[in-house]
Amino acid sequence: MLNRSGQIAGRSDEATSAGGGAHPTFTGNRALQQEEALLFEIGRRDTTGVDIAEPEAFTPRLNGLERKGGVDIPGLSEPETMRHFVKLSQKNYGIDTGLFPLGSCTMKHNPRLNEKMARLPGFGDVHPLQPVSTVQGALRLMEELSRWLLATTGMEAVALSPKAGAHGELAGMMAIKAAIDAKGEGATRRVVLVPDSAHGTNPATAALIGFQVKAVPAREDGWVHVEDVKGLLGPDIAGIMLTNPNTCGLFEPQIVEIAAAIHEAGGYFYCDGANFNAIVGKARPGDLGVDAMHINLHKTFSTPHGGGGPGSGPVVLSSRLAPFAPVPYLRASGDGLQLVEAAADAEGHEQPFGRITAFHGQMGMYVRALSYMLSHGGDGLKQASEDAVLNANYVRACLSDLMSLPFGDKPCMHEALFDDAWLKGTGVTTLDFAKAMIDEGYHPMTVYFPLVVHGAMLIEPTESESKASLDLFIAALRDLAMAARNGQAERFTGAPYHAPRRRLDETRAARSPVLTYRTPEPVREAAE
Ligand SMILES: *Cc1c(COP(=O)(O)O)cnc(C)c1O
């Protein structure tokens, strides 16, 4: 404990000297912001919080393969265990803690009603291998969710099973591939167009299943232009992957013309539906000429995500792609709903391209999403989209005199995109600015995405925020922006000063996480 607290006091020292005032503490705790070591550092190998009787003598049946030593897991008492995990939970900044303006992620409030519904035993305890006759209620719920997804998107069919947006992209693009193969054009239609501004998952998905990715270059105005797309069309075109509203926060005004051009060239239109929250109840992708689109239930339909829960990415399909939907899918039969589980059980026009999940997808997310839909109603979903767009434009308008907008003359959809032109000469970067937001108690916005905008800052407040909460956020950002402009670079370049940890090497943390605990070498104390 001694050398650990020495280490922590050092950290705290560094933080407080720059952040202002207080003396380092003995424990390293800063008031109620408490340090918490790893279980391996605080636990004891010879301790357990439970009292289990010694087993009676028995002869192992593992043929000599049984473990010889202990499992080397540290033990804690029950109160120590409780404190450990409660403290860890308190380090998690989430939408329940404060405004979470992470652009493109739609970090909206997760209504507690959804949680209550998902915990009903008939949903919460359902097992994927139960006989179909015992899960008719769950299947009815999946059917009802499908109906809402098809009604809001104007599409023909839906595959519920993909487990995230990127997984939905994969399912949609595999349906496109299957449709092309069914026409005998698999050898020639190899190229997928993807705009420069796209989310990285788009080109990655196309490349993963063997398509060749060709970029549609970015334009000054942030839009994809139909003549740029037409210039790239030919007999080798499999399709285009387009995000609408796009990652610059703008609705693509030429989307109908682009869809028509792609169809005329014999290709398919995949729409990345991550930004669906801006247009629910206002525009139906099916009416715009979309052939496949994933819907991130965890974004648009309020199921928790970002460390708070699993994603779910159903993909809706046009009539051209509907026959290729993957198994499993629902089919109404005389005695209720059935799940078509194998390609061999396909009927009529159905030609499922295969299966992409072991079972049926994220049941808990289906329940939450449908709970959200039913509690809002059609009018409420439309209102949510309108409020999301209004909130983003309010933020944009209130900051536009201090921070620069790359596409400044246009109103935005549900997220406002700033660039770093306004920081030129201040010694402050987009990253510094984002880190200083942490000191103010806000999760940073999305930074450096989309790549087509220099030093991008993408702010998505969602409809969850009240005007009061937006006004405080805007005031905090204005204070920061004025500090940056007034030469207070040190408020940014060392930020965050008040967080439990300062700047981490995030790339290394993500790419080479240390997953195995090694007992550190004992530290030798100096003798004086
Ligand atoms: C979030 C997002 C995705 C990927 O969705 P996941 O659910 O994270 O896999 C794809 N495209 C865009 C534009 C997104 O914002």
Side-chain angles (χ1 to χ4, degrees):
M1 221 41 195
L2 255 183
N3 66 21
R4 210 177 64 79
S5 77
Q7 206 179 39
I8 289 163
R11 260 182 224 138
S12 155
D13 210 11
E14 180 197 349
T16 45
S17 63
H23 59 83
T25 59
F26 175 76
T27 52
N29 298 334
R30 271 171 282 156
L32 300 185
Q33 186 163 282
Q34 302 196 8
E35 281 294 334
E36 185 59 13
L38 299 176
L39 274 179
F40 288 93
E41 293 169 310
I42 54 176
R44 297 165 298 276
R45 307 297 162 115
D46 54 353
T47 297
T48 169
V50 287
D51 182 10
I52 305 175
E54 279 296 314
E56 286 176 19
F58 64 94
T59 314
R61 290 180 294 168
L62 292 169
N63 212 10
L65 293 174
E66 65 270 19
R67 182 184 287 280
K68 299 287 187 299
V71 288
D72 211 19
I73 294 174
L76 297 174
S77 69
E78 183 171 324
E80 285 172 325
T81 310
M82 179 62 75
R83 285 177 188 160
H84 178 71
F85 288 104
V86 168
K87 280 186 204 162
L88 291 189
S89 75
Q90 289 169 339
K91 296 193 189 304
N92 194 14
Y93 186 96
I95 188 66
D96 295 346
T97 336
L99 195 151
F100 204 132
L102 199 61
S104 212
C105 296
T106 311
M107 306 302 291
K108 64 167 73 179
H109 172 61
N110 313 125
R112 289 309 178 267
L113 176 66
N114 303 355
E115 298 305 315
K116 193 170 174 189
M117 295 301 111
R119 283 165 179 72
L120 291 173
F123 296 131
D125 298 340
V126 78
H127 191 282
L129 295 179
Q130 257 175 266
V132 168
S133 65
T134 67
V135 292
Q136 286 296 309
L139 298 187
R140 275 283 301 282
L141 180 134
M142 288 164 70
E143 188 191 37
E144 183 70 2
L145 174 65
S146 301
R147 223 168 54 76
W148 279 79
L149 293 176
L150 297 178
T152 49
T153 57
M155 302 288 270
E156 176 83 11
V158 58
L160 289 180
S161 62
K163 295 195 176 176
H167 203 200
E169 287 177 39
L170 183 66
M173 292 305 289
M174 287 178 79
I176 288 174
K177 195 166 198 195
I180 291 172
D181 286 343
K183 285 194 274 188
E185 297 177 343
T188 46
R189 294 199 181 272
R190 308 272 336 274
V191 173
V192 171
L193 303 180
V194 182
D196 275 340
S197 57
H199 194 267
T201 50
N202 294 186
T205 298
L208 184 73
I209 55 175
F211 286 120
Q212 184 196 330
V213 176
K214 232 185 233 180
V216 185
R219 288 255 202 148
E220 285 284 292
D221 57 13
W223 285 326
V224 176
H225 289 248
V226 67
E227 57 266 36
D228 294 346
V229 172
K230 280 185 174 163
L232 295 165
L233 295 179
D236 57 350
I237 285 295
I240 191 168
M241 296 182 84
L242 207 67
T243 310
N244 190 43
N246 69 25
T247 60
C248 300
L250 306 173
F251 192 90
E252 292 287 0
Q254 298 181 18
I255 189 157
V256 172
E257 290 83 356
I258 293 169
I262 291 286
H263 290 154
E264 203 170 310
Y268 293 87
F269 180 3
Y270 186 92
C271 181
D272 180 328
N275 293 336
F276 194 38
N277 201 46
I279 59 168
V280 179
K282 307 292 284 184
R284 301 192 312 166
D287 299 337
L288 305 175
V290 170
D291 290 302
M293 182 179 95
H294 71 262
I295 300 156
N296 311 62
L297 296 186
H298 47 288
K299 294 180 180 172
T300 308
F301 296 112
S302 82
T303 72
H305 67 131
S312 183
V315 62
V316 288
L317 303 168
S318 67
S319 55
R320 304 169 72 211
L321 293 180
F324 305 98
V327 291
Y329 49 81
L330 292 167
R331 180 188 288 154
S333 71
D335 45 351
L337 287 162
Q338 297 295 320
L339 275 168
V340 178
E341 293 268 13
D345 299 328
E347 286 176 1
H349 299 300
E350 298 168 2
Q351 306 167 61
F353 72 72
R355 163 187 286 280
I356 59 163
T357 59
F359 294 116
H360 318 304
Q362 309 280 30
M363 188 66 203
M365 297 300 121
Y366 301 161
V367 181
R368 289 174 175 89
L370 186 63
S371 165
Y372 178 83
M373 291 166 173
L374 293 177
S375 56
H376 280 68
D379 58 336
L381 293 180
K382 176 165 169 247
Q383 176 84 51
S385 285
E386 289 172 350
D387 290 349
V389 172
L390 179 65
N391 279 358
N393 277 288
Y394 183 62
V395 171
R396 174 182 156 276
C398 290
L399 294 175
S400 60
D401 59 326
L402 288 176
M403 295 165 62
S404 47
L405 292 152
F407 313 113
D409 52 328
K410 303 188 197 82
C412 60
M413 294 300 290
H414 69 319
E415 48 195 356
L417 178 60
F418 298 88
D419 63 17
D420 64 355
W422 67 282
L423 285 171
K424 200 158 183 232
T426 60
V428 177
T429 64
T430 289
L431 183 71
D432 298 331
F433 190 80
K435 296 296 182 191
M437 282 172 69
I438 297 175
D439 281 337
E440 297 296 333
Y442 287 109
H443 192 287
M445 71 288 265
T446 290
V447 292
Y448 301 108
F449 174 81
L451 302 176
V452 294
V453 165
H454 199 271
M457 306 182 201
L458 187 59
I459 299 179
E460 181 181 0
T462 83
E463 70 279 10
S464 305
E465 301 306 323
S466 65
K467 179 162 181 300
S469 116
L470 287 181
D471 283 337
L472 183 59
F473 175 69
I474 289 163
L477 257 60
R478 289 188 66 84
D479 185 68
L480 285 172
M482 282 187 288
R485 284 168 165 264
N486 291 339
Q488 296 170 35
E490 72 289 351
R491 181 168 166 191
F492 300 87
T493 49
Y497 293 105
H498 301 294
R501 293 295 178 270
R502 306 290 297 282
R503 280 202 203 189
L504 306 176
D505 183 342
E506 287 154 4
T507 311
R508 198 152 70 86
R511 301 234 160 161
S512 352
V514 179
L515 300 175
T516 308
Y517 180 74
R518 292 191 206 296
T519 314
E521 300 290 321
V523 182
R524 257 201 284 140
E525 304 269 328
E528 7 150 27

